[in-house]
Amino acid sequence: MYSIWRYAAADNGVGDTNDLALCAAQGAGKHIEVCSLQIVNAHASTATEVMLKSGSTVIWRLRMPAAGTPVQFTFNPPLRCNSNEGLNFQCETASTVFVSAQGTVSP
């Protein structure tokens, strides 16, 4: 049985380089899958690289220009985290990134 998860961007975006938990680990034998992602770097002058991680392992990355246009990604097949690992988001440099993501948890 698949369950649905979603993460909505925080009001002030991501402004640091710490990991941000988009979806917590779901337990032994369960995998978080990322089906879609919406993202924009709203900082006027600072570009950054953004990463999605399975725990601490990078599974997707993208360079985001400063003052960028919002973009949406649909992953088909979905990006998949390792079993019992959370999905994290990180910016390489402090910026103002807004990220929202949706997906499923598979057995």
Side-chain angles (χ1 to χ4, degrees):
M1 178 73 138
Y2 285 84
S3 60
I4 296 172
W5 66 268
R6 49 184 77 79
Y7 177 87
D11 290 343
N12 55 349
V14 179
D16 58 36
T17 60
N18 298 322
D19 279 358
L20 170 67
L22 300 183
C23 185
Q26 299 293 301
K30 296 190 178 182
H31 300 265
I32 297 167
E33 295 181 337
V34 184
C35 298
S36 57
L37 176 82
Q38 304 80 40
I39 191 166
V40 64
N41 181 3
H43 196 282
S45 60
T46 303
T48 189
E49 182 176 85
V50 296
M51 295 160 273
L52 289 178
K53 300 180 186 180
S54 173
S56 61
T57 303
V58 175
I59 58 173
W60 183 85
R61 69 177 72 227
L62 177 72
R63 186 79 178 154
M64 297 292 300
T69 302
V71 290
Q72 175 165 323
F73 297 92
T74 301
F75 301 105
N76 188 10
L79 296 176
R80 188 172 186 175
C81 291
N82 293 323
S83 175
N84 199 26
E85 287 191 349
L87 174 67
N88 296 311
F89 175 84
Q90 183 185 23
C91 293
E92 179 182 56
T93 53
S95 192
T96 309
V97 175
F98 293 86
V99 60
S100 294
Q102 303 79 35
T104 59
V105 175
S106 66

